[in-house]
Amino acid sequence: EDQVTQSPEALRLQEGESSSLNCSYTVSGLRGLFWYRQDPGKGPEFLFTLYSAGEEKEKERLKATLTKKESFLHITAPKPEDSATYLCAVRGTSGSRLTFGEGTQLTVNP
Amino acid sequence: EPEVTQTPSHQVTQMGQEVILRCVPISNHLYFYWYRQILGQKVEFLVSFYNNEISEKSEIFDDQFSVERPDGSNFTLKIRSTKLEDSAMYFCASSGSIGAGGYTFGSGTRLTVV
């Protein structure tokens, strides 16, 4: 059974204070690791897909990296509008389903 | 930017009633999904649908649930006899190919069973 664990559960940063979110996973043959952003009462918004260890992707202040056991979402010089819950999900060889973690609730104070 | 549209945004129903949640996936996508998120919990997979049939379903997706693509644009989730524990946000998603790129999610339908 695929499993995803995210840490920390909640993170509070000051504007401009860089940090990283962690996603640890176990999966039967990784077919993709996904990062999403979720605002309250909204659906997950796609950020990145990573497929193999060593891969990195960037978008504005966000950078996602992947190893064989975990992924990191690095946030550089965050702004208040980056406040959201960040979700990690994996897809394994067992099918098309995504298995999500609990998420990290990020708050960026001005 | 193309988006997945879900209606209604909020539905309140009495226990035991049937509900139908509606979704319009992105027009050129071929794979369709339903997920749910109980308040304060993680997003959970329900079912995937491809080529007019269910391709995968979770343990949650029992005989009370069904999905249908009644025409070329809509994708529906039916819950036959709702229970209190069915109260959740239900998200529809679609993808152009299985696993490649991202799965695009809709804004969700908040289902409240009373």
Side-chain angles (χ1 to χ4, degrees), chain A residues 87-98:
Chain A
L87 304 175
C88 174
V90 296
R91 178 182 164 246
T93 54
S94 58
S96 60
R97 73 174 67 189
L98 298 184

Side-chain angles (χ1 to χ4, degrees), chain A residues 20-63:
Chain A
S20 297
L21 313 183
N22 177 263
C23 170
S24 298
Y25 65 90
T26 56
V27 65
S28 56
L30 183 69
R31 292 294 177 90
L33 184 138
F34 301 79
W35 281 99
Y36 284 88
R37 169 191 171 126
Q38 187 175 32
D39 292 301
K42 301 292 186 183
E45 176 188 343
F46 173 71
L47 294 173
F48 306 108
T49 309
L50 303 168
Y51 293 101
S52 57
E55 189 175 359
E56 299 182 353
K57 287 193 177 172
E58 286 188 67
K59 179 180 179 180
E60 296 181 357
R61 295 177 291 282
L62 301 177
K63 178 180 177 180

Side-chain angles (χ1 to χ4, degrees), chain A residues 34 36 38 41-44 46 49 51 87 91 94-98 100-102, chain B residues 35 37 42-43 45 48 56-58 89 91 98-103 105-107:
Chain A
F34 301 79
Y36 284 88
Q38 187 175 32
K42 301 292 186 183
F46 173 71
T49 309
Y51 293 101
L87 304 175
R91 178 182 164 246
S94 58
S96 60
R97 73 174 67 189
L98 298 184
F100 281 84
E102 302 273 2
Chain B
Y35 286 77
Q37 186 175 30
K42 63 176 68 176
V43 177
F45 170 78
S48 59
E56 187 180 358
K57 61 183 181 180
S58 72
M89 280 286 280
F91 296 110
I98 190 167
Y103 296 45
F105 283 77
S107 290

Side-chain angles (χ1 to χ4, degrees), chain B residues 36-100:
Chain B
R36 80 173 186 188
Q37 186 175 30
I38 295 171
L39 187 63
Q41 298 187 22
K42 63 176 68 176
V43 177
E44 301 175 290
F45 170 78
L46 293 177
V47 66
S48 59
F49 191 85
Y50 170 70
N51 201 25
N52 284 320
E53 62 182 23
I54 291 174
S55 52
E56 187 180 358
K57 61 183 181 180
S58 72
E59 316 69 43
I60 302 168
F61 194 89
D62 60 22
D63 292 344
Q64 294 298 314
F65 292 89
S66 62
V67 290
E68 190 178 37
R69 188 155 165 81
D71 53 44
S73 59
N74 291 286
F75 180 51
T76 62
L77 173 69
K78 182 192 291 186
I79 309 175
R80 266 180 264 284
S81 178
T82 50
K83 306 170 191 170
L84 295 176
E85 54 264 38
D86 293 327
S87 295
M89 280 286 280
Y90 287 81
F91 296 110
C92 174
S94 68
S95 63
S97 59
I98 190 167

Side-chain angles (χ1 to χ4, degrees), chain B residues 5-41:
Chain B
T5 304
Q6 290 188 243
T7 55
S9 57
H10 190 187
Q11 180 152 3
V12 181
T13 188
Q14 289 203 327
M15 190 169 51
Q17 295 297 304
E18 174 184 289
V19 295
I20 297 177
L21 310 183
R22 303 180 191 279
C23 169
V24 179
I26 293 174
S27 61
N28 62 348
H29 281 184
L30 301 176
Y31 298 83
F32 314 114
Y33 314 88
W34 284 101
Y35 286 77
R36 80 173 186 188
Q37 186 175 30
I38 295 171
L39 187 63
Q41 298 187 22

